Amino acid sequence: MVTQHSLRRTVRVSLRRCLAGIAALALAGSMAASPAQAADSEAPAAENVLRIATDGFIDSFNPFTSFYLVPTNTFRYMYENLVANDAKDGSVTEGLATEWNTDSDGKVWTYTIRPDMKWSDGEPLTSKDVAWTYNQMMDNDEMAVANGSLVENFAKVEAPDDSTVKITLKKAQANNPGQEIPVVPEHVWSKIDNPGEFKNDEKSVGSGPFQLDSYEANKSITLKANPNFWRGKPKLDEIQYRYYTNSDAQVQAIRSGEVDFITGLSPDQFTALENADNVELNDGNGRRFNGISINPGVADADGKEFGTGNEALGDKKVRQAIRAGIDTETLRKQVMQDYAQPATSFIPAVYPDWALSPDNPVVSGFDVDRAKTLLDDAGWKEGSDGIREKDGEKLQLRFLTDADVPTEQSTAKFLKPWMKDIGIDLKNESTDADTESERTTKGDYDMYFSGWSINPDPDYQLSINTCGQRPDAEGNGGTSQDGWCNKEFDKLYQAQHVELDQAKRQELVQKALAIHYEEAPSVTLWYPNQLEAYRSDRFENFTKQPSDGGAIANQVGYWGYSSVEPVSAGEATGGGMGAGGWIGIGAAVIVVLGGGGWLLSRRRKSDDRE
Amino acid sequence: MSTPTHDPHSGDRPDRGTDTATPGTDPTNPSSASAQGTADTADPNPADVDMDEPPAGGSFARYFLRKLGGAATSMVLVIVLGFFAFRMLPGDPVLKIAKERPMSPAQIAELRSQYGLDKPVIVQFWDYLVGIVTGDLGESYVYRKSVSSLIGDYLGPTLLLTGTAAVIAIALGLWLGQLSAWRRNSLFDKLASSTSLIFWSVPTFWLGLILLMIFGGTLQWLPTGGMITPGLDPWSPAGIIDVITHLILPVVSLVAVVYAQFLMIMRASLLEEMSEDYLTTARAKGLTEDEVRRRHAVPNALLPTVTVVFLHIGGLIAGAVTVEAVFSWPGLGKLTFEAIRGPDLPLLQGTFVVFSALIIVMNLAADIVYRFLDPRVRRV
């Protein structure tokens, strides 16, 4: 049996090699088992690198085409806009332009560009770059993928001299058109053959406080301070985003000092970090709302109804009754553990200029009796089982929630008995986010849990509540928030859209929001706080937006990290080998000695027999 | 002369896995669910190996062709399924991407046409088939890169992770398995078998999270995620050590969950050998019990085991999805996880096809190696 004999030997030898390999691996492991800090101290200039945990998608760093949250936030650091949104309250403030004015009817906006500005590569930055950027987006569909809606109203953009930009609009608008469009250097981008497909993912040239230095997909993003930033070089040398798929891992990473900043924590994760050493928490007012969208009878842009919404909800009184039957204060305290602000309408309280004032006479609270009266008035009478009926039909509604989101599930648990109290039989249908999205697009729902993030200017969010934003006859292309349509609201939207007097515009916006509130196509439940944590032993001086009680990450602007500075040197976490290192070495010694001894004894005994 | 514990299933036929609970692909076990999910056409249950194949007769060529045909059929099914399964998922990728963004209907339509989603499904399917034949798996919606280049980029870390885990799990499982069998019903046997089965039944992500919390967060001995500290050169000495540090927790999680299957295979295989006459002969030569085990029983028991091990490597690769997601390991598993979050249809299709292909190839290799290695299959 020569074959079998040699095979046996091969297997034996392989087994031996395998064990030797494990021993080697264990040894190497022990050498490396000294804590993470030791590894970090070998990374260059670690003390002046702000490490941020992230799990966001990156399609590219091309500001014309990318629309995911992480790249968009990065553009705010890489590229300055014509005008910025202030850290204090989000109001419009100087960016590339030092001043701007508009003609009397709001159709021509003229900007004066700051003199002597430079791109990060040292080339001069002039009004020509601004005009070139805007014209690219207007002329080329591929360049309009991400921000096309921002230039839709532009008729032409000119740069009559190096310090002037003139934007002529198709229709007047009150909302400053120079916001949120990243301006890129013409001398770099005009040389790119196919700028729509340019990835821009190494060594970017821009005008913002930080420039992209390197990007490794699903591993890290590194930004370097721009010495030519017109507000002055930031105190941080680098910002480094590190990838953590799992939010619990992010919490452990800040605890162990592997990262310096995390955001988007759940209330549970946030409270778990309360006693962590050297970790400072920020409970920031967010720019988001959560609410319950109620199907008011969704229809296409021509008014033809589609979907399976309960007809009862077409009656404003029934929708108002649902609002009156929901105790939003209890939800805010119980479901959000108080990490949210009380809400009125879809513009969050973080924008006090626009948000619907709680003092507005239209705002009403939790009132079971009122809810019952409203339903009585709508003709829904209580049946023998407590559920209301009309024309022999019971008032049964479906509530769609995302099974993966704990807050939606808890909200549904509160809502069911509350609705029962006023005579509505609420069926909770929890499903996955994709099914939910598909069903709501098709109008196949009665109520669902929704939410949006809102920018400082209310124009866009108001616009998606107008009749024209409903989908086409095939059900496609709609961007409507609640599938709702109201002519009076539309008029107010148009009026505020062109109103240049800020005080008057505020009044119009308040009126529009009051109509939306009164019509109740959705019930805003709360404005969730943005829960964040940072290493206070390493960095200080984070800027919040708004500066009074706001959030650090995901700002509309570049304030959050631009002001950050390292805590005095020498306080960085110490190196040296921790207990882990010693245990690892111990384990390796045992494995090597044991394994080696065993192999030796085998070697000695074999070969003299057989 | 001592006779080892008699095994009721002694015989010439390679009938392993019937007297012991061999953990195969158990649909109730979460850690194997991923393997099932990615390739339900390929069942890596060792008990099924060759049971449909008559041990005698037939040339190697016929055997090979038959196995190759089976693998090819599986692959075709996977390719077809890979397209339609993900098309049946609810949700519109474009709307999901556009959600909560100030996007006009024109912008949404532009995206839809860029993704090719405005074409009829049958045209999309044809494009997909043509693409597969020419080696083009399409372009990822999210990464805007070709799926094949993405898979190429992420394959390395997955092979490093699963390779290390496989080597350790196999070595540990086989070593403990042979000791367990030799000392059947002893305290050691009971402890080793039950511990491994306890780990086997633990959900991988749960074990991973616990390890992460203890060794990453609380004790701070090991990093909590990723493959290397950004900024380090992976080929420098510091970089290599850094990668190894990052490797420890995910490898331990994977090994703890899967080594049981190797232990059980080895244990069953050795138990079968233990009743063979040649061991009695060896003892008669005056060899010690230890020598009989090491020199005669174990090598013979290893032969069939080696082939079965192949089958399990495919499952291990699929099992990496969870571990990579927990430890943010930048491999194929994490790429799949991201693709599901997207949903990034071309990428999902691509990783599905690649994972399935890996498992099908491993199964085919197992069949062939089995035929080569185990003389009993050829001889009888």
Side-chain angles (χ1 to χ4, degrees):
Chain A
M1 289 290 293
V2 180
T3 331
Q4 197 161 358
H5 180 80
S6 60
L7 259 176
R8 252 189 249 170
R9 175 164 290 174
T10 316
V11 170
R12 257 202 318 264
V13 170
S14 317
L15 191 68
R16 245 181 252 161
R17 282 188 189 148
C18 191
L19 279 165
I22 296 171
L25 197 70
L27 180 66
S30 79
M31 280 155 65
S34 52
Q37 293 98 307
D40 284 350
S41 65
E42 288 164 37
E47 63 282 352
N48 208 358
V49 177
L50 178 73
R51 299 159 305 171
I52 302 170
T54 186
D55 71 339
F57 286 123
I58 307 283
D59 40 3
S60 76
F61 286 94
N62 184 330
F64 297 104
T65 59
S66 170
F67 35 71
Y68 286 102
L69 186 67
V70 173
T72 314
N73 279 331
T74 317
F75 299 148
R76 293 193 168 118
Y77 284 89
M78 286 158 65
Y79 300 104
E80 178 71 276
N81 309 323
L82 258 186
V83 292
N85 294 95
D86 198 30
K88 190 166 162 280
D89 55 6
S91 60
V92 173
T93 187
E94 56 188 306
L96 294 177
T98 50
E99 47 189 277
W100 50 93
N101 56 64
T102 166
D103 65 340
S104 53
D105 63 359
K107 269 181 103 167
V108 179
W109 289 68
T110 311
Y111 297 81
T112 308
I113 304 294
R114 184 183 313 280
D116 303 325
M117 273 190 298
K118 281 182 181 155
W119 292 103
S120 56
D121 63 356
E123 293 289 315
L125 192 171
T126 70
S127 59
K128 302 267 190 309
D129 295 295
V130 182
W132 187 85
T133 304
Y134 285 13
N135 280 309
Q136 286 296 307
M137 294 168 64
M138 289 157 62
D139 297 344
N140 185 343
D141 280 351
E142 274 194 9
M143 309 292 269
V145 170
N147 295 312
S149 61
L150 298 176
V151 295
E152 246 178 12
N153 192 27
F154 286 21
K156 65 178 173 187
V157 180
E158 300 154 294
D161 59 59
D162 274 2
S163 60
T164 310
V165 172
K166 206 168 111 186
I167 302 175
T168 309
L169 301 174
K170 292 175 188 158
K171 281 188 272 174
Q173 74 174 52
N175 183 9
N176 192 315
Q179 296 178 78
E180 286 291 299
I181 300 175
V183 174
V184 303
E186 181 184 358
H187 71 275
V188 175
W189 285 78
S190 61
K191 289 183 192 127
I192 298 162
D193 289 338
N194 198 344
E197 281 173 21
F198 182 49
K199 297 237 170 268
N200 195 28
D201 55 6
E202 46 192 302
K203 308 269 186 271
S204 70
V205 177
S207 56
F210 291 94
Q211 293 305 313
L212 183 70
D213 189 58
S214 65
Y215 162 61
E216 283 190 275
N218 266 330
K219 288 178 195 151
S220 65
I221 304 163
T222 307
L223 306 175
K224 269 200 162 37
N226 172 11
N228 297 336
F229 180 45
W230 70 270
R231 288 180 198 268
K233 183 179 185 269
K235 295 202 171 73
L236 279 176
D237 291 336
E238 266 182 36
I239 296 176
Q240 193 175 68
Y241 289 87
R242 296 185 175 189
Y243 269 82
Y244 290 87
T245 321
N246 160 330
S247 68
D248 291 319
Q250 295 188 2
V251 173
Q252 301 307 327
I254 194 139
R255 204 188 269 279
S256 73
E258 255 177 85
V259 295
D260 304 310
F261 182 86
I262 56 174
T263 189
L265 295 166
S266 71
D268 285 338
Q269 292 170 327
F270 193 71
T271 40
L273 279 173
E274 257 164 12
N275 298 318
D277 292 338
N278 301 318
V279 174
E280 189 77 32
L281 301 175
N282 181 39
D283 175 9
N285 294 330
R287 54 185 183 97
R288 211 182 147 71
F289 80 80
N290 282 128
I292 295 169
S293 197
I294 306 172
N295 190 337
V298 291
D300 65 25
D302 298 329
K304 192 168 157 271
E305 289 201 18
F306 64 91
T308 63
N310 192 314
E311 278 180 25
L313 296 174
D315 186 339
K316 169 168 97 175
K317 287 195 173 115
V318 177
R319 302 198 298 266
Q320 287 173 332
I322 292 172
R323 182 204 300 283
I326 298 173
D327 182 356
T328 48
E329 191 53 18
T330 297
L331 287 179
R332 192 183 69 80
K333 286 198 169 130
Q334 300 290 322
V335 175
M336 293 304 286
Q337 299 174 32
D338 226 353
Y339 290 119
Q341 286 184 285
T344 52
S345 192
F346 57 77
I347 303 294
V350 77
Y351 305 123
D353 285 354
W354 309 113
L356 182 65
S357 160
D359 302 332
N360 194 303
V362 78
V363 175
S364 58
F366 171 56
D367 187 341
V368 175
D369 291 334
R370 191 168 155 263
K372 288 180 171 168
T373 315
L374 281 163
L375 288 170
D376 284 338
D377 291 352
W380 290 92
K381 303 293 174 208
E382 211 166 298
S384 53
D385 57 354
I387 301 301
R388 289 171 185 271
E389 299 168 352
K390 188 175 171 180
D391 306 329
E393 213 163 301
K394 296 243 177 227
L395 189 47
Q396 283 179 333
L397 299 175
R398 301 160 293 165
F399 182 37
L400 274 184
T401 50
D402 184 340
D404 287 335
V405 183
T407 45
E408 297 193 18
Q409 293 306 305
S410 342
T411 303
K413 279 188 192 129
F414 278 99
L415 237 56
K416 194 174 167 69
W418 288 345
M419 289 298 108
K420 182 106 199 283
D421 284 348
I422 62 171
I424 297 175
D425 182 15
L426 192 69
K427 287 208 176 345
N428 291 327
E429 295 187 352
S430 73
T431 176
D432 60 289
D434 292 333
T435 306
E436 192 179 344
S437 143
E438 184 169 273
R439 286 185 57 183
T440 53
T441 311
K442 287 183 181 160
D444 182 15
Y445 70 98
D446 294 325
M447 290 157 63
Y448 76 98
F449 195 99
S450 76
W452 291 74
S453 288
I454 314 293
N455 278 349
D457 194 282
D459 191 80
Y460 175 74
Q461 205 66 24
L462 289 166
S463 79
I464 63 165
N465 279 284
T466 58
C467 301
Q469 293 302 312
R470 291 175 303 169
D472 62 21
E474 280 90 46
N476 295 320
T479 49
S480 178
Q481 180 185 303
D482 300 314
W484 172 74
C485 169
N486 181 290
K487 295 277 181 282
E488 207 184 332
F489 180 93
D490 283 14
K491 273 184 211 152
L492 286 162
Y493 165 73
Q494 278 309 330
Q496 70 77 37
H497 185 71
V498 294
E499 180 52 67
L500 296 170
D501 182 320
Q502 168 91 355
K504 282 187 190 156
R505 188 172 170 221
Q506 279 176 19
E507 206 177 301
L508 292 165
V509 169
Q510 290 270 312
K511 276 188 185 160
L513 292 177
I515 289 177
H516 184 268
Y517 189 99
E518 211 257 330
E519 285 277 318
S522 62
V523 178
T524 311
L525 299 174
W526 60 67
Y527 306 129
N529 290 3
Q530 190 169 313
L531 304 178
E532 319 181 301
Y534 61 89
R535 290 295 294 201
S536 53
D537 57 335
R538 286 177 42 87
F539 294 102
E540 58 192 4
N541 218 3
F542 290 85
T543 301
K544 298 169 188 172
Q545 187 189 44
S547 36
D548 183 19
I552 297 166
N554 306 332
Q555 295 181 354
V556 185
Y558 43 58
W559 317 102
Y561 313 130
S562 311
S563 55
V564 171
E565 42 193 328
V567 173
S568 59
E571 275 185 58
T573 36
M577 200 177 320
W582 292 112
I583 290 177
I585 287 189
V589 167
I590 291 170
V591 170
V592 170
L593 288 184
W598 182 75
L599 286 172
L600 274 177
S601 72
R602 296 265 305 128
R603 187 166 294 238
R604 227 180 4 190
K605 282 181 196 163
S606 58
D607 295 328
D608 55 338
R609 290 220 178 93
E610 223 173 58
Chain B
M1 195 175 95
S2 65
T3 317
T5 323
H6 183 73
D7 177 50
H9 287 270
S10 62
D12 290 328
R13 282 175 56 91
D15 196 11
R16 289 165 317 283
T18 44
D19 64 335
T20 335
T22 308
T25 314
D26 174 4
T28 58
N29 188 304
S31 49
S32 67
S34 50
Q36 282 238 326
T38 40
D40 42 5
T41 48
D43 181 2
N45 192 330
D48 294 343
V49 179
D50 257 358
M51 287 301 103
D52 57 336
E53 192 67 20
S59 69
F60 175 73
R62 252 174 71 189
Y63 174 84
F64 178 74
L65 281 179
R66 186 170 160 178
K67 289 291 171 192
L68 196 65
T73 314
S74 304
M75 204 57 226
V76 168
L77 284 175
V78 159
I79 286 170
V80 175
L81 205 70
F83 182 85
F84 289 102
F86 298 120
R87 289 290 179 300
M88 280 193 291
L89 287 178
D92 179 336
V94 174
L95 282 186
K96 191 156 176 193
I97 286 162
K99 199 179 170 200
E100 286 195 38
R101 282 193 52 83
M103 284 187 115
S104 63
Q107 279 170 279
I108 291 173
E110 167 72 20
L111 264 187
R112 210 179 285 281
S113 98
Q114 278 188 18
Y115 292 169
L117 285 169
D118 49 350
K119 295 182 195 163
V121 173
I122 194 73
V123 176
Q124 291 181 42
F125 182 58
W126 178 249
D127 291 347
Y128 163 80
L129 286 185
V130 171
I132 287 212
V133 172
T134 55
D136 174 11
L137 292 170
E139 192 187 89
S140 152
Y141 296 163
V142 173
Y143 295 90
R144 300 291 183 103
K145 276 174 87 174
S146 84
V147 170
S148 20
S149 75
L150 276 170
I151 288 174
D153 289 349
Y154 287 76
L155 189 64
T158 293
L159 291 182
L160 176 66
L161 172 63
T162 48
T164 314
V167 167
I168 296 176
I170 291 167
L172 184 72
L174 298 189
W175 182 57
L176 289 176
Q178 51 103 10
L179 285 181
S180 275
W182 202 255
R183 303 177 196 168
R184 195 184 190 190
N185 292 332
S186 70
L187 183 64
F188 175 85
D189 177 28
K190 283 173 188 156
L191 267 181
S193 308
S194 55
T195 315
S196 71
L197 285 176
I198 287 170
F199 280 127
W200 171 259
S201 52
V202 164
T204 319
F205 75 92
W206 184 82
L207 181 70
L209 273 181
I210 298 288
L211 290 175
L212 186 73
M213 276 168 65
I214 297 174
F215 295 99
T218 311
L219 297 173
Q220 301 178 17
W221 291 354
L222 293 164
T224 46
M227 189 168 82
I228 187 167
T229 303
L232 279 180
D233 170 16
W235 301 110
S236 67
I240 292 171
I241 288 176
D242 191 63
V243 171
I244 293 171
T245 337
H246 282 83
L247 200 55
I248 294 174
L249 285 183
V251 163
V252 168
S253 314
L254 260 182
V255 167
V257 174
V258 300
Y259 83 91
Q261 54 191 343
F262 303 115
L263 186 153
M264 288 303 168
I265 295 162
M266 186 62 200
R267 186 176 178 277
S269 178
L270 185 58
L271 279 177
E272 196 185 305
E273 290 296 326
M274 276 161 63
S275 58
E276 298 283 343
D277 289 342
Y278 68 86
L279 293 186
T280 316
T281 317
R283 287 193 182 89
K285 277 200 323 193
L287 297 183
T288 66
E289 269 306 290
D290 211 29
E291 284 163 341
V292 172
R293 172 173 63 88
R294 288 196 321 248
R295 310 264 325 262
H296 293 277
V298 169
N300 274 318
L302 265 179
L303 287 177
T305 306
V306 166
T307 65
V308 180
V309 160
F310 262 95
L311 290 175
H312 287 272
I313 294 175
L316 199 65
I317 292 172
V321 176
T322 343
V323 173
E324 288 186 4
V326 171
F327 291 99
S328 315
W329 188 265
L332 278 186
K334 187 162 173 263
L335 192 66
T336 311
F337 180 77
E338 302 282 310
I340 294 169
R341 274 206 316 164
D344 192 338
L345 295 183
L347 191 53
L348 263 179
Q349 278 161 204
T351 53
F352 176 80
V353 168
V354 167
F355 271 121
S356 310
L358 279 173
I359 291 169
I360 291 170
V361 167
M362 281 298 167
N363 279 5
L364 184 66
D367 283 339
I368 292 164
V369 171
Y370 190 78
R371 169 99 178 182
F372 262 117
L373 276 193
D374 198 328
R376 286 172 295 194
V377 178
R378 276 175 293 154
R379 201 166 12 106
V380 185

